[in-house]
Amino acid sequence: MAAEGGGSTFAHSLQDTPVWALATVCFFFIFVSLLLEHLIHLLSNWLKRHRKTALFEAVERLKSVLILLGFISLMLAVTQRPISKICISTKVAYTMLPCHKSAATLTSERRLAAAETTNASDHCASQGKTSFISQDGILQLNNFIFVLAVMQIIYSVLTMALGTAKMRRWEAWEKETQTVEYQVANDPNRFRYTRQTTFGRRHMNSFTTTTLHLWIKCFFRQFFRSVAKVDYLTLRHGFISAHLSTNTSFNFQKYIQRSLEDDFKAVVGISPLMWFLVVIFLLVDVHGWHVYFWVSFLPLMIVLALGTKLEVIVATMALQVQDQNSTVIKGAPVVQPNDDLFWFNHPKFVLTLLHYTLFMNAFELSFFVWVTWQYGIKSCYHQSVGFIIIRVVLAVTVQVLCSYITLPLYALVTQMGSQFKSAALEEQTVHVVKQWYAETRDKRKKKQDQSSTVSSSNRTMGSSDFSSHHRILTFSQEMTHPSSEIGNVEEGDQEIHQDELELGMVSSNIAHIELSEVTKI
C-alpha cells in the first residue's frame, strides 16, 4: 500500500482483477511468442532449403541464447520473494553503491519500495536489518539482462550485415579475374621488377624499414582504403597457389562469404565467460570510480589494434615476397599464407577478440539504454553529461569501425593462414557431383533409348521374315535376334556401369581432397 495525495492505492492480485483484462494480457503475450517462434521456424526452413548451413547454425545458436534468457527470467521471477527476504546489516548495505545518497534517504527509499511489494521490510526491520535486494530491484535486473542479450544480437547482426554490404564490391574484382585483360596482365611467363608491381608500390617503400615505422603506417592506412583492389587480387592469387594449385577459376569472393557466415554463428552467441564479465562489470560500478567511462575506451583500442595488425600482416607478406625473389619476379607476386603471421600463430584469435569487442560495446550501449529507460536521463547514473556523450560517441564509432574496416580486413586477411576451412570446397563439391550425376543420367537415357530402338527394329525385321516365310523360323534365326538384342543391352549396361564407376571415382577424389587437403579450423 502506498499513500499519495491523501488517498491510498492497493496492489490488486488476480482475485481482484477482471477476467477480461487477464485474458487480454495472456492472449497478447501468447500470440507474440507464437509469432516470433513461427518466424524463426520459417527462417530456419529457408536457410535449409538454400543450403545455408552456417547461417542455420547461427539461428540455432540464437535459439539457445533465447532459451537461456527464458531460464534466467524464470528463475528471477520465482525466487524474487525469497531473495527479498534475505536480510543483511544496514552498514553492509550502504557500501559500494552506484549512486551517492545519504543513509537516511537510502533507508526511506528501501522501506518504501519494500512496502509497495511485500512485507520484507517488516521482516528485516524487526531484526534491525535491511533487505538484500528488493523485488523491484530483481525486476530491474531482469530487464537489464534482457536488454543486454537483445543488444548483443542486434550488434552482431548489424555488424555482419554492414560489413557484408561493403564487401559486395569484391564481386566485381572477382569477375575481373576471369577476363582476358587480367590474364594478360598477370602472365606467368612475364618478368617484372618486384617494386614495379602495383602490390610492391603499395607496400614496399622506405617507410617500412623498421617495425615501428611499419606499424605507424599500417595504423593510418586502415582508415584509408583498408582493403585495396591490388591487395584482394594478390591475396587471392597467393591463396589459390598455396591451396588449390592451378584452379584459377576458383571463386575466392564466395569462399570468403561462406567463411564469414561460418564465423557468424560464433559471434552471435554469448559465451559463459561473457556472462562472467557482466557480473564483473556490475561489481565494479561503484560511485566515484568511473569504471564504465574508462572501460568504454577498451573496445576502441582493441578494434584499432586489430585493424593495424591485419594491415601489418599484408605488408609483411609483401616484404617477404621481396626477400624471397630479390628484385625480379616471374608472373604476379605470390604471397605465402602462414599462421606465424598472426598472434599466437592462431588466426581464429582475431575472431575471439572481435567477438569480445562487440560484446563490450553492446554492454556499454545496453547499459545506457537500460538506465535511461528504467530511471530516466537525469538519474544518478547520468550525473555527468560529458561522460554520457563520450560513451555514446565511442559506442557508435566502434560500431562503424567494426563494420566498415575491421570486419572486411578480418574476412580477407585471416584466409592467409596455413590451413583453410572445409567450406571452401562445399559448394564446388555439390556442383561437380550434380553435374556428373546429370551427365550420367543423360548417358543412361540415351543408351536405353538406343537399346529400345535396336530391339524394336530387330523385332520388326523378325516379324517381316516370319510373314515372308509363312511364319516358319529356323533355329539360327530364332537365336540370332535375341543374341543381338542381348548384346546391345549388355553393351549399354557396360557403358552405364563405366559412367557410374567414373562418377564414383570423381566423388572419391573429391572426398579425398576434403579429407586430405582441407582441415577444418
Side-chain angles (χ1 to χ4, degrees):
M1 180 178 68
E4 184 179 357
S8 59
T9 303
F10 293 92
H12 296 287
S13 65
L14 292 182
Q15 294 177 343
D16 304 318
T17 303
V19 291
W20 60 265
L22 176 63
T24 301
V25 173
C26 186
F27 171 78
F28 174 77
F29 283 101
I30 291 176
F31 175 78
V32 172
S33 300
L34 291 177
L35 179 62
L36 292 176
E37 191 273 339
H38 183 65
L39 292 177
I40 294 176
H41 181 69
L42 292 178
L43 178 61
S44 300
N45 290 337
W46 185 86
L47 293 175
K48 277 185 177 180
R49 289 195 304 269
H50 291 78
R51 299 182 181 275
K52 301 288 185 179
T53 306
L55 293 180
F56 174 76
E57 294 178 359
V59 173
E60 294 298 320
R61 183 70 62 87
L62 174 62
K63 288 182 181 179
S64 65
V65 173
L66 295 178
I67 291 174
L68 179 61
L69 281 177
F71 276 119
I72 294 176
S73 179
L74 179 62
M75 292 176 62
L76 289 175
V78 171
T79 61
Q80 60 179 349
R81 178 168 294 184
I83 292 176
S84 64
K85 289 186 177 182
I86 299 176
C87 301
I88 58 175
S89 64
T90 307
K91 183 178 180 180
V92 175
Y94 297 155
T95 59
M96 298 183 67
L97 296 175
C99 296
H100 180 68
K101 293 182 180 180
S102 62
T105 303
L106 288 172
T107 302
S108 61
E109 288 182 354
R110 284 175 178 267
R111 288 178 178 176
L112 181 60
E116 291 177 351
T117 53
T118 63
N119 58 351
S121 61
D122 297 335
H123 173 72
C124 295
S126 62
Q127 305 176 23
K129 299 180 180 181
T130 185
S131 177
F132 181 68
I133 182 172
S134 64
Q135 292 190 34
D136 192 27
I138 295 176
L139 178 61
Q140 295 170 4
L141 176 61
N142 192 4
N143 294 337
F144 170 70
I145 293 175
F146 174 78
V147 172
L148 175 61
V150 172
M151 193 64 65
Q152 165 67 11
I153 295 173
I154 293 176
Y155 247 69
S156 302
V157 174
L158 185 62
T159 302
M160 286 292 180
L162 294 178
T164 305
K166 184 184 179 181
M167 289 185 291
R168 285 181 180 176
R169 64 176 180 175
W170 296 358
E171 296 180 3
W173 298 349
E174 187 67 32
K175 292 179 180 179
E176 183 180 338
T177 59
Q178 307 303 321
T179 60
V180 178
E181 291 80 4
Y182 176 83
Q183 302 296 333
V184 172
N186 295 272
D187 186 4
N189 297 321
R190 178 185 176 187
F191 288 91
R192 290 181 295 176
Y193 288 104
T194 306
R195 288 182 175 271
Q196 290 183 355
T197 60
T198 309
F199 189 64
R201 290 195 301 267
R202 175 174 168 83
H203 296 285
M204 303 173 191
N205 50 52
S206 59
F207 210 70
T208 58
T209 54
T210 63
T211 305
L212 179 60
H213 290 167
L214 180 63
W215 276 79
I216 294 175
K217 175 185 176 181
C218 293
F219 174 79
F220 290 101
R221 171 168 285 175
Q222 64 179 319
F223 303 107
F224 309 97
R225 294 179 63 199
S226 58
V227 178
K229 177 180 177 181
V230 62
D231 291 341
Y232 174 85
L233 297 177
T234 305
L235 296 186
R236 174 188 180 276
H237 180 63
F239 178 87
I240 293 176
S241 301
H243 300 298
L244 301 173
S245 185
T246 59
N247 187 8
T248 57
S249 61
F250 178 74
N251 196 321
F252 188 54
Q253 188 270 335
K254 285 188 177 181
Y255 163 74
I256 293 178
Q257 182 178 357
R258 290 193 299 270
S259 299
L260 197 61
E261 291 175 356
D262 188 62
D263 294 334
F264 178 65
K265 64 184 180 183
V267 175
V268 75
I270 301 179
S271 65
L273 182 58
M274 290 181 176
W275 287 112
F276 180 73
L277 286 178
V278 172
V279 178
I280 298 298
F281 287 156
L282 293 177
L283 178 64
V284 298
D285 183 26
V286 181
H287 177 75
W289 290 11
H290 303 297
V291 175
Y292 285 179
F293 175 74
W294 300 112
V295 168
S296 61
F297 288 92
L298 190 58
L300 179 63
M301 295 172 60
I302 295 177
V303 167
L304 295 178
L306 284 177
T308 306
K309 175 61 178 177
L310 294 173
E311 290 285 357
V312 168
I313 292 175
V314 179
T316 303
M317 289 190 294
L319 296 177
Q320 289 178 353
V321 172
Q322 182 183 11
D323 296 338
Q324 293 172 0
N325 299 278
S326 183
T327 58
V328 179
I329 61 172
K330 184 178 180 181
V334 181
V335 296
Q336 299 294 330
N338 197 336
D339 287 345
D340 296 337
L341 300 172
F342 297 87
W343 282 321
F344 307 108
N345 301 330
H346 192 54
K348 274 293 185 180
F349 183 68
V350 179
L351 179 64
T352 302
L353 287 179
L354 188 61
H355 188 192
Y356 279 88
T357 300
L358 291 175
F359 177 76
M360 287 187 290
N361 203 40
F363 178 86
E364 283 291 323
L365 194 58
S366 60
F367 188 82
F368 171 78
V369 172
W370 171 71
V371 169
T372 306
W373 168 36
Q374 199 74 54
Y375 306 104
I377 193 66
K378 295 183 179 180
S379 67
C380 63
Y381 287 99
H382 294 160
Q383 288 182 350
S384 177
V385 179
F387 285 179
I388 297 174
I389 296 176
I390 292 175
R391 289 173 61 182
V392 173
V393 170
L394 286 176
V396 175
T397 303
V398 171
Q399 175 65 32
V400 174
L401 291 176
C402 277
S403 302
Y404 291 100
I405 296 179
T406 310
L407 187 64
L409 268 174
Y410 161 80
L412 177 63
V413 179
T414 51
Q415 312 306 329
M416 295 297 104
S418 303
Q419 301 172 335
F420 66 102
K421 301 177 182 178
S422 59
L425 295 181
E426 179 181 353
E427 183 176 331
Q428 287 196 352
T429 300
V430 174
H431 176 71
V432 170
V433 171
K434 284 185 175 180
Q435 183 179 359
W436 276 92
Y437 176 76
E439 291 178 357
T440 304
R441 183 181 57 188
D442 294 340
K443 289 182 180 180
R444 181 178 298 175
K445 286 186 65 176
K446 290 180 180 179
K447 298 305 178 183
Q448 289 178 351
D449 293 340
Q450 292 177 0
S451 300
S452 60
T453 303
V454 173
S455 300
S456 61
S457 62
N458 289 335
R459 284 194 293 269
T460 304
M461 292 175 59
S463 61
S464 61
D465 292 341
F466 178 79
S467 60
S468 61
H469 292 85
H470 306 285
R471 299 184 181 273
I472 299 175
L473 287 175
T474 62
F475 179 76
S476 59
Q477 290 176 336
E478 187 177 356
M479 295 299 296
T480 300
H481 299 294
S483 63
S484 62
E485 183 176 348
I486 294 173
N488 290 327
V489 174
E490 288 179 351
E491 181 180 357
D493 290 341
Q494 288 178 357
E495 293 186 7
I496 293 170
H497 183 62
Q498 183 179 0
D499 293 334
E500 291 177 348
L501 290 176
E502 200 173 72
L503 175 60
M505 291 173 64
V506 173
S507 302
S508 62
N509 289 335
I510 294 172
H512 177 69
I513 291 174
E514 290 185 345
L515 291 174
S516 60
E517 295 185 4
V518 182
T519 304
K520 198 169 187 177
I521 299 178

